[in-house]
Amino acid sequence: MRLSSLLIVFATFATAALLCIVAASLSADLIEDSSEQAVKRELSLAGLDWTEVHAEGLQVFLAGVAPTEADRFRAVTAAGRFVDAARVIDNMQVTATADIAPPRFSVEILRNDAGISLIGLIPEESDREDILNDIRKLAGTKDVTDLLEIAAYDAPAAWTESLDYAIKALRDLPRSKISVEAGQVSITAAANSPEERQALSTKLVRSSPSIVDVLLDISSPRPVITPFTLRYVIDGDGGHFDACSADTDQARTRILTAARNAGLNTGRTECTIGLGVPSPQWGDAVATAIAGLAEIGLGSVTFSDADVSLTADMGTDPALFDRVVGEMESALPDVFALASTLPKAPETNDTLTTPEFNATLSPEGLVQLRGRLSNDVARATTESFARARFGSEQVYMAARLDETLPQSWPFRVMAGLDALSKLHNGTLLVTPESLSITGRTGDTEANARIAQILADKLSSTDHFSIDVLYLEELDPSLNIPTPEECIADIRAFQQENKIVFEPGSGTLDASAADVLDAIALRISDCPALAIEIQGHTDSQGRESMNQALSQTRAQSVLTALQERRVLTKGFTATGYGESQPIADNDTADGREANRRIDFVLITNDEDAPETDSNAETDAATDADTSGDTASSDAPTTSEDGASDTPAEAAAPEPAAETTPEAEETADSADTEDAGGEETTDDTN
């Protein structure tokens, strides 16, 4: 009995314990489910459906990938509104963000008389010591202050090219600031003169890599202009400046605005800002004079310091002329003195011949003096003056004497010769009524210089005209080679560098890219050229196939140059096949020499020049055909050409004076084909 009563008690407690466990389990599940559902509902309402919720006991676990760190924080906050924040376990992740962008690499290079300073941030792969050594070597100084910092990132595209260009440019810039970024170099510098600024700008632009943008800000001291000159002309073609000077930017703007209102021809107009202005009211005075000239119609107005000359066109209404002159005299500031001229129609007299003096300057520098001079003293003085200006061996005197000439005639002649000396070639014509200068020049300031000379040395009543054409190819500051020099340069380059094609094909080999890049660069430095790209083959195979292959190869070269943005308006591609050999096709070396690409200058638009089959071997530019069968011990034709032909034959120098027939012969000699390229094939 006693045992059974103990069992009953034990069973009662066991049952109670079991019921407690069941109740506790059900309660925990209920709490978990309610917590989980409540949190899910709140997250859904907040638009955070990406979260995953799991409850274990009193703890709520949040999982999933949050788009941003802010979304992750919002999810934790939302769950904390229904369960204690301490019970929220954050197992969420955040979407991976992009790698931290590399810093902006840049270098500031400052140079002056005290030395050179470098400030900036460079990538780790840019060797700091090499940079400093290169700068010390190029600049010729050891005073280099290094304030560079290094970041462990890869160099951006074009960084190395930009930095190398900036360091090389530093050699020619003793006072400058150079800012370097990847793909861009900004240069601020000072030059000693406008001419030096122009030459320096040209050199910097030409030497810059194609993938680097160069921004130039090169200043030079304002020139002293003596006399302070301006000349504005209105003719049948509109208005233009022979010379333009101003003392300030505001005055220049005032002058150019007045000129545009008076019919200034469109295009670039230079107006030099300089020192030496006779009055701070210069801009107002010039604008007044130009407006008056525009009202008259045709003529010219010339300022030489404070002297103003207004010359109307012959046939201008006298009443209109008098009114405009009167208004100008009243409007001009007191310091300026106006001299006005209304030319009269010359009296016709069949028995008299208008005297004149004519001087002709040839491109070779030869000067011929013809016409009339006053007396022996005037002739001797004029000849001596011309020899001083143009060279003692360059002057030919053929002027006759005329004692009836005006007293001022010798002075006008010498003023004209002084002006003519500023041209590359041209003519001077002096008559009793006028003086005219026409010609060509490579100096952008020639018009202004000539106007200054004539305005200073002629009287205010003397009428003169200037018709000077500026040509870039004559500008020494641009260093533009002649077409013949360009072709000679390309040929010289081709002696050591070959245009390579795939065997038996018109397709350029990958190795030809660098060669064509260099040729394209050389052509871009030249003036507009007319070039025939000639394709040639040896005599192996059928003639028709060789003709087609040579044409395809010539066209491939032309297309490759066009892809490199070379201006090829005057270019043609012609295949000559095997018709123009320059060597014996019976030998491997001869066939190799005959397989070539020639660049030939077209001197006659109607007939392209033909190459001479007996030309020397150093004047040709060849194409390597890289055939299937190799002969590694075969000698290169370029080496043969170097040993057989004098070097000077590649670029013959023209004589100072040549007849048209001689020039044609020289041009023909320039086009002779010679030379060869190293190749490992004996096939086209």
Side-chain angles (χ1 to χ4, degrees):
M1 290 296 294
R2 183 178 179 84
L3 180 60
S4 62
S5 63
L6 291 175
L7 288 175
I8 293 171
V9 173
F10 177 76
T12 301
F13 278 101
T15 302
L18 180 61
L19 291 174
C20 290
I21 292 173
V22 172
S25 177
L26 293 174
S27 299
D29 290 341
L30 180 61
I31 294 173
E32 290 176 357
D33 291 342
S34 62
S35 298
E36 183 175 328
Q37 293 302 321
V39 171
K40 283 184 176 180
R41 183 169 57 254
E42 181 64 19
L43 292 175
S44 178
L45 292 175
L48 305 173
D49 297 328
W50 47 267
T51 53
E52 299 175 5
V53 182
H54 174 65
E56 287 188 10
L58 297 178
Q59 292 182 325
V60 177
F61 294 86
L62 300 181
V65 180
T68 65
E69 191 66 39
D71 290 329
R72 176 179 181 173
F73 180 76
R74 287 175 57 206
V76 174
T77 303
R81 285 197 286 267
F82 284 89
V83 297
D84 186 83
R87 294 163 50 197
V88 178
I89 307 302
D90 180 9
N91 289 334
M92 294 178 289
Q93 297 180 346
V94 180
T95 302
T97 58
D99 294 338
I100 298 176
R104 174 177 165 269
F105 293 110
S106 65
V107 174
E108 294 281 344
I109 306 176
L110 307 176
R111 183 181 183 187
N112 53 33
D113 296 338
I116 301 174
S117 299
L118 283 80
I119 307 171
L121 180 66
I122 62 175
E124 191 173 31
E125 64 185 67
S126 296
D127 193 306
R128 170 186 271 168
E129 289 303 320
D130 285 348
I131 294 173
L132 297 176
N133 290 335
D134 289 343
I135 290 178
R136 292 187 183 104
K137 187 182 302 181
L138 289 173
T141 179
K142 295 183 179 180
D143 297 327
V144 178
T145 303
D146 176 16
L147 300 176
L148 294 175
E149 296 184 3
I150 296 177
Y153 287 88
D154 293 335
W159 167 260
T160 302
E161 292 81 356
S162 301
L163 185 58
D164 290 345
Y165 168 72
I167 293 174
K168 292 178 182 177
L170 193 65
R171 176 182 354 196
D172 301 316
L173 303 170
R175 296 178 299 278
S176 60
K177 181 185 79 170
I178 304 178
S179 302
V180 184
E181 296 181 19
Q184 179 175 300
V185 176
S186 301
I187 298 176
T188 303
N192 294 321
S193 66
E195 292 78 11
E196 181 181 332
R197 178 184 62 185
Q198 177 66 30
L200 192 57
S201 299
T202 302
K203 181 178 181 180
L204 291 172
V205 170
R206 289 196 170 190
S207 61
S208 63
S210 58
I211 60 174
V212 177
D213 294 331
V214 178
L215 305 178
L216 298 180
D217 182 12
I218 301 178
S219 60
S220 60
R222 291 185 178 183
V224 177
I225 303 175
T226 306
F228 211 81
T229 307
L230 182 143
R231 177 175 168 84
Y232 186 72
V233 180
I234 301 178
D235 53 24
D237 297 326
H240 66 271
F241 285 100
D242 283 338
C244 183
S245 305
D247 57 329
T248 63
D249 288 325
Q250 293 80 4
R252 177 169 61 181
T253 301
R254 179 97 165 83
I255 292 169
L256 295 179
T257 301
R260 294 188 186 97
N261 294 336
L264 178 65
N265 290 331
T266 58
R268 183 178 180 182
T269 300
E270 295 288 347
C271 196
T272 304
I273 297 179
L275 305 176
V277 66
S279 167
Q281 296 175 294
W282 173 266
D284 295 334
V286 172
T288 299
I290 291 176
L293 178 62
E295 191 172 354
I296 291 175
L298 303 178
S300 66
V301 60
T302 304
F303 282 74
S304 179
D305 288 331
D307 296 325
V308 185
S309 299
L310 174 67
T311 303
D313 189 55
M314 188 179 301
T316 300
D317 181 11
L320 172 63
F321 180 76
D322 291 341
R323 179 177 64 80
V324 171
V325 170
E327 293 174 349
M328 286 180 58
E329 288 177 339
S330 300
L332 287 173
D334 293 338
V335 70
F336 293 94
L338 175 64
S340 57
T341 303
L342 178 59
K344 297 181 179 180
E347 299 179 0
T348 58
N349 190 335
D350 297 336
T351 62
L352 296 178
T353 301
T354 301
E356 64 180 36
F357 176 85
N358 183 277
T360 303
L361 172 63
S362 72
E364 294 77 23
L366 301 178
V367 179
Q368 294 185 356
L369 308 178
R370 303 181 184 277
R372 302 186 186 187
L373 291 170
S374 303
N375 49 48
D376 288 329
V377 174
R379 180 162 63 182
T381 303
T382 300
E383 185 174 4
S384 298
F385 183 81
R387 293 184 185 279
R389 279 288 181 267
F390 302 100
S392 59
E393 303 299 326
Q394 304 292 94
V395 178
Y396 172 72
M397 170 61 79
R400 70 185 184 89
L401 304 183
D402 184 351
E403 296 182 354
T404 64
L405 295 174
Q407 186 175 2
S408 63
W409 190 268
F411 303 101
R412 298 174 65 199
V413 167
M414 284 188 281
L417 290 175
D418 194 8
L420 184 64
S421 68
K422 306 303 179 183
L423 301 181
H424 177 266
N425 63 284
T427 59
L428 162 68
L429 178 62
V430 181
T431 67
E433 293 79 21
S434 65
L435 182 153
S436 64
I437 293 284
T438 61
R440 303 188 304 166
T441 181
D443 182 4
T444 57
E445 301 295 328
N447 260 334
R449 297 179 196 276
I450 292 173
Q452 288 176 0
I453 291 171
L454 297 181
D456 184 41
K457 296 185 177 181
L458 300 180
S459 71
S460 59
T461 58
D462 285 332
H463 175 66
F464 62 89
S465 63
I466 304 171
D467 184 11
V468 173
L469 177 63
Y470 168 77
L471 298 176
E472 285 188 347
E473 53 264 35
L474 300 179
D475 193 337
S477 67
L478 300 181
N479 296 318
I480 298 179
T482 65
E484 291 77 11
E485 290 172 339
C486 290
I487 294 298
D489 184 33
I490 293 173
R491 290 174 174 172
F493 174 76
Q494 284 288 329
Q495 293 298 317
E496 302 296 334
N497 302 273
K498 301 173 292 186
I499 300 176
V500 183
F501 293 90
E502 294 182 0
S505 168
T507 303
L508 288 162
D509 187 81
S511 62
D514 292 340
V515 178
L516 289 169
D517 286 343
I519 293 177
L521 183 61
R522 283 167 166 78
I523 294 176
S524 65
D525 289 339
C526 296
L529 295 175
I531 292 179
E532 183 180 48
I533 302 174
Q534 298 181 351
H536 301 274
T537 67
D538 60 24
S539 61
Q540 300 294 304
R542 293 198 303 272
E543 183 177 353
S544 59
M545 293 181 62
N546 289 336
Q547 170 65 33
L549 179 60
S550 64
Q551 178 65 43
T552 302
R553 288 180 170 176
Q555 186 62 47
S556 295
V557 173
L558 177 58
T559 302
L561 293 177
Q562 291 170 340
E563 292 173 349
R564 287 161 173 79
R565 298 185 178 182
V566 173
L567 298 178
T568 58
K569 181 179 179 181
F571 288 28
T572 60
T574 306
Y576 288 91
E578 60 188 70
S579 64
Q580 295 185 8
I582 60 172
D584 189 357
N585 274 312
D586 292 335
T587 65
D589 289 346
R591 290 191 293 273
E592 178 185 339
N594 289 330
R595 296 188 296 271
R596 67 193 190 278
I597 292 290
D598 289 340
F599 290 84
V600 178
L601 183 65
I602 300 176
T603 56
N604 187 332
D605 293 336
E606 297 178 359
D607 299 305
E610 296 183 358
T611 56
D612 187 350
S613 61
N614 296 321
E616 295 298 328
T617 60
D618 68 331
T621 54
D622 306 348
D624 184 0
T625 55
S626 300
D628 299 327
T629 59
S631 176
S632 60
D633 56 347
T636 65
T637 55
S638 59
E639 292 174 354
D640 293 341
S643 61
D644 295 339
T645 309
E648 58 270 25
E653 293 291 336
E657 289 187 76
T658 58
T659 64
E661 294 78 13
E663 291 179 354
E664 183 176 350
T665 303
D667 290 338
S668 176
D670 277 348
T671 65
E672 293 181 348
D673 305 316
E677 296 179 358
E678 182 179 357
T679 181
T680 59
D681 180 42
D682 195 25
T683 66
N684 287 330

